[in-house]
Amino acid sequence: MAIHKPRASERDPWRVLLVLLIPAVCTAMASAAVVEHTFYVGGMGISQLCMNSVVYTANQQLPGPTVEVSEGDTLVVHVVNGSPYPISLHWHGIFQLQSGWADGANMITQCPIQPSARFTYVFKVTGQEGTLWWHAHASMLRATIYGALIIKPRSGGYPFPPPHAEIPILLGEWWNRNVDDVEKDGLLTGLGPAKSDAFTINGSPGDQAPCGGAGMFQVEVESGRTYLLRIINAAVNAELFFRVAGHAFTVVAADASYTDPHPTDVIVVAPGQTVDALMAAAAAPGRYYMAARAFESATASTPPPFDTTSATAVLRYKGVPDYAPAAMPALPPYADVVTAARFYWSLTGLVRPGDPVVPKTVDHSLVVAFGLEQASCAPDQTRCQRFSVLASMNRRSFQFPEKVSLLEALFRGVPNVYSEDFPGWPAPAATRKATSVRKVNYNDVVEVVLQNEGYSRALGTANHPIHLHGFNFFVLAQGLGRFDPRMRSTYNLVNPQVRNTVAVPAGGWAVIRFTANNPGMWFMHCHLDSHLPLGLAMVFEVLNGPAPNLLPPPPADYPKCH
Ligand code: C2O
């Protein structure tokens, strides 16, 4: 049994309790380990883009601590909230099999951890390996509260040649203003948050941004070696292009699911998604920029309604001095839908013996249409002029419950918190605000045609990366325009890519299929944070199966609702 060695800064008052607990857990799990962290969420001074500001981070790190486990391990994260904001932490892409209470979706699976309160997330990481991440799931705080969550294979190694080293690349998004204020302003105007001031690579905008150079990420490579880049799009509101000057990649995984090797020199990654790519250090020894900037199909208006800056970092060959000039990669134009689609659509899943296969019969076949629309100003939108923006799925604009989380309401049978009437079809009707969920039985197979309705110059961003909590799904087909049922004959049922987040382009569609093998309340939403408070979300309610496939009772320290 191995235990992750807590850092000195991770002093933990409950260590005693854990020491008592661990032996019991370990006998049940043979060689699996318990990996334990403590995250102190609090203010951190930082100087970025010629400004000194205070942001909220975990353990005074931006990005936050990397969590590394092996498949089969149990992860224990004590979260101490030293910030003035109620928070929750989500383990993005983790199945949370029978541990839905630890999913961290604010008001969906828990009430938030109040300022000066604490909560311990405990869950087992089973049946998945690769690159995932964790992030705050309340307000826009995930702009600075996020980190990598890396799951190593328990045995047998990777299904590709072992890399010399692994390099996590966390792409982020930066605002000079306090992000909670940015979000509140967006709610008052009814138009969503103002655009960001920079993108970041491993926390820094890089030296192409004004005063951005100080903390620029720089990594040394050796000629002839191969590196595994674990690329995570932790940006709040933007899909991103990513390139490294003079270097090409072989994609080997996405969203912690292996893919067939896919050669490319540009990577496209939507918020919530991850891409694992092998990169050979095969260029002439030198310094090379890696760079990221927005992929945004709605670029018609002037000035563009999105952040047009590029984040940079540097790859330096061993022996090359720090001051050597670096080559900059040519990034695709912002609106390069063709490059994005070619990347997103050409990945296929690596099929290995024992992996889940595409279920052939479907119990629930849904069409979910989503987008943004203009709405009248609400009374509480005190800075709203003329109109506000409303988002919806099948004409239901998702409302978060206020008194109790959906999961607790399900477990305790609390009435009048949600309705089980989420429509399976975008029936023509006026959009209304509702907390409506779609109920499915344990182990039902659910297929969803995700139809992005909108291309709206007036309303800005129209790409929608749709993320499903609690499950991976197979992406059976993707396209532009309106989904045509005749496309069913083109579904890839053999080796589709497996993901937890699919980027559905402006006016495009994707078909996903998953088995609802996990009882609980599972959020499905647009992973652009600006669209979440506008209502671009719904929830799958998955009922208990035959024992032991049950949702257990909540943990003893489950946060109280206020
Ligand atoms: Cu990474 Cu509900 O999201």
Side-chain angles (χ1 to χ4, degrees), residues 64 77 129 169 172 209 213 267 293 306 317 320 328 341 405 422 451 482 495 532 555:
V77 185
E129 56 194 57
I169 303 282
I267 282 169
R293 77 172 184 191
F306 61 93
Y317 279 64
V320 173
M328 187 72 181
S405 75
F422 183 84
Q451 177 73 53
R482 195 145 281 277
N495 63 345
L532 195 45

Side-chain angles (χ1 to χ4, degrees), residues 90 92 135 137 467 469 525 527:
H90 170 52
H92 180 116
H135 62 81
H137 208 298
H467 170 49
H469 286 222
H525 63 90
H527 214 282

